[in-house]
Amino acid sequence: MFTKQKPTTIPITEIEQSAFCRTDETLDVKPLAEEFSASVRWQGIPSEYLHMDGKELTARIRNARNLLGDRLTILGHHYQREEVIQFADVRGDSFKLAQYAASLPYAEFIVFCGVHFMAETADILSNANQKVILPNITAGCSMADMASTEDVIDCWNDLENILGQGGIVPITYMNSTADIKALCGRNNGIVCTSSNATKVMEWAFQKGERVLFLPDQHLGRNTALKLGIALEDMVVWNPFKNLGGNTEDSIKNAKIILWQGHCSVHTRFNVNQINKAREKYPDVNILVHPECTMDVVQAADYNGSTEYIIKTVTESPPGSKWGIGTEISLVSRLAKENPDKLIFCIDSVVCPCSTMYRIHPAYLLWVIEELINDNIINQVLVNDDTAEQSHIALERMLSIV
């Protein structure tokens, strides 16, 4: 008995993605009250924080940090806005920050300036006596929301009915909920990031004939192609259709089953943008993230993780030109930090990740000032069983890179 077809649903985080897109202004911080005009969900916050300008917020955050001292560690994802990431003790992509969270034995509080799945991962990898805090609890991830626990369990049950137990190895991208990581842990699977997806997929094929790749179909497809797996050996699983829109035979014949998910930021990039960049700058280097669609990745000169993008641009010669396909906050920071190079986003619309952008410095100030008063706001807690199984999948990842 297979799962029946379901009504198609779109995560609200996907619907909200364009809320901060603009063409006529920079991404300089505004008082939170002004940013509340964006049509996204915001967490409630005491009114005293609503009208502070950037200068006041910066001064008060710095003071609160000093008062907390070594009790506090702030982790910042590269996609965070400048006014937030300036306070990060460590900056990184999801893989680097996961490694760092696993090596923090002393900090009492870990404030994660990122999105919810990252804070979950930090809670799983940190010590039991440490508290992980997300400044704005509405900072989710549309990609993670595209793979709900119920839908993935239905998919897994269908695949086991067709292929038998052990017939497929699950890989989940870091951009997924703790529940999905736990499913991988229970079923001899593993977690990956864009930094290590190739090595992880090679590991998975040493364990079995087929891979279920969750939740980003584009990273899965681009990684499989890099390993020489043909497109005809891949199928896409649509969670709203019977058997994901496939037949039993097509599933049995597939080497890769790709979950139908995507990154709302990276799927904005297209080949036409690349062509326009090359028309304007014939000697430009095009560098994109592997969450972009296959045609964009193949049209680019280079592709790789956030850390790869930073390293490649930073180590490039003065005078080089870089058209980049990734989140605008990072591209703007690279341009600022490398004034001897021409660095620009290939998408002319300024469109930050709407969930990362919800970590406004007012929220960061709020949660750390409350820590001074021994009041913990927005602690992210993963239940023991889910944490245990997720940890297994994460440790498999950390052990092979």
Side-chain angles (χ1 to χ4, degrees):
M1 184 77 177
F2 297 118
T3 305
K4 295 181 180 179
Q5 186 160 324
K6 307 174 184 178
T8 300
T9 59
I10 300 174
I12 190 164
T13 41
E14 171 75 356
I15 296 169
E16 294 172 337
Q17 175 52 39
S18 62
F20 297 104
C21 294
R22 59 196 75 172
T23 58
D24 58 349
E25 57 182 306
T26 66
L27 291 174
D28 294 339
V29 70
K30 302 175 183 177
L32 186 55
E34 292 182 33
E35 295 201 12
F36 271 9
S37 63
S39 55
V40 300
R41 293 161 301 149
W42 293 94
Q43 182 178 6
I45 187 172
S47 59
E48 66 174 291
Y49 296 97
L50 289 175
H51 301 285
M52 294 181 190
D53 62 19
K55 186 176 181 180
E56 182 180 2
L57 288 166
T58 296
R60 284 182 59 168
I61 292 170
R62 188 171 288 121
N63 179 64
R65 278 205 60 183
N66 290 339
L67 289 173
L68 287 164
D70 293 340
R71 298 175 66 200
L72 171 67
T73 293
I74 298 177
L75 304 182
H77 191 276
H78 288 303
Y79 295 172
Q80 288 295 300
R81 55 173 98 200
E82 287 299 317
E83 296 84 1
V84 169
I85 205 166
Q86 64 177 317
F87 295 107
D89 296 295
V90 176
R91 302 180 185 186
D93 62 6
S94 55
F95 176 57
K96 181 178 178 179
L97 294 176
Q99 287 181 309
Y100 193 75
S103 67
L104 275 176
Y106 302 117
E108 183 179 349
F109 306 113
I110 300 171
V111 172
F112 208 121
C113 296
V115 293
H116 196 271
F117 76 80
M118 297 178 186
E120 283 188 327
T121 302
D123 182 58
I124 293 163
L125 293 174
S126 59
N127 294 333
N129 62 322
Q130 295 175 308
K131 312 284 192 303
V132 177
I133 294 161
L134 186 65
N136 182 344
I137 208 66
T138 69
C141 171
S142 60
M143 183 197 297
D145 292 344
M146 291 175 194
S148 73
T149 303
E150 178 184 358
D151 289 343
V152 175
I153 289 173
D154 286 344
C155 167
W156 186 252
N157 290 339
D158 285 350
L159 292 175
E160 286 202 323
N161 284 336
I162 295 168
L163 303 171
Q165 286 194 345
I168 188 164
V169 178
I171 299 174
T172 189
Y173 191 24
M174 185 72 81
N175 301 32
S176 58
T177 65
D179 282 346
I180 306 309
K181 293 179 178 73
L183 181 144
C184 291
R186 291 188 191 98
N187 293 284
N188 301 310
I190 191 168
V191 178
C192 79
T193 71
S194 54
S195 296
N196 61 24
T198 302
K199 289 183 179 180
V200 167
M201 194 172 283
E202 288 174 335
W203 175 93
F205 277 114
Q206 292 170 4
K207 304 295 181 183
E209 298 177 42
R210 303 174 193 85
V211 163
L212 169 64
F213 194 94
L214 299 148
D216 182 11
Q217 62 171 308
H218 302 297
L219 178 62
R221 183 179 295 107
N222 291 325
T223 304
L225 288 169
K226 189 183 295 186
L227 292 178
I229 297 170
L231 282 175
E232 52 266 30
D233 292 325
M234 307 181 208
V235 297
V236 175
W237 187 279
N238 181 338
F240 307 111
K241 293 184 177 181
N242 294 331
L243 294 183
N246 304 289
T247 65
E248 290 190 45
D249 284 343
S250 67
I251 290 170
K252 289 177 181 177
N253 292 330
K255 291 182 180 179
I256 299 274
I257 296 171
L258 302 165
W259 188 265
Q260 187 176 278
H262 64 268
C263 171
S264 303
V265 170
H266 289 106
T267 50
R268 288 183 55 85
F269 301 112
N270 58 62
V271 174
N272 185 50
Q273 294 166 345
I274 294 175
N275 292 337
K276 286 183 177 179
R278 288 194 165 125
E279 287 173 9
K280 188 171 183 180
Y281 304 107
D283 57 343
V284 72
N285 299 284
I286 302 298
L287 173 57
V288 303
H289 196 282
E291 291 175 15
C292 294
T293 57
M294 176 181 67
D295 58 340
V296 169
V297 169
Q298 292 180 344
D301 299 300
Y302 309 93
N303 74 88
S305 69
T306 302
E307 293 292 340
Y308 172 85
I309 290 171
I310 294 169
K311 185 175 187 293
T312 300
V313 172
T314 302
E315 295 180 356
S316 64
S320 56
K321 300 179 179 69
W322 295 92
I324 302 178
T326 195
E327 205 274 341
I328 186 63
S329 295
L330 173 61
V331 178
S332 298
R333 187 174 305 123
L334 283 171
K336 182 179 179 180
E337 293 174 352
N338 294 270
D340 58 340
K341 302 156 194 172
L342 176 65
I343 298 167
F344 61 94
C345 184
I346 60 174
D347 184 358
S348 60
V349 178
V350 177
C351 202
C353 173
S354 70
T355 48
M356 289 279 189
Y357 206 65
R358 267 173 260 197
I359 306 296
H360 187 281
Y363 284 106
L364 176 59
L365 175 61
W366 174 42
V367 297
I368 64 175
E369 285 193 334
E370 287 298 320
L371 290 177
I372 295 169
N373 299 323
D374 296 320
N375 187 19
I376 298 173
I377 303 291
N378 294 347
Q379 182 178 358
V380 174
L381 284 167
V382 179
N383 71 68
D384 290 345
D385 178 62
T386 301
E388 179 183 358
Q389 297 302 322
S390 298
H391 198 278
I392 291 170
L394 287 162
E395 283 298 327
R396 287 182 184 132
M397 175 191 76
L398 294 171
S399 71
I400 66 171
V401 295

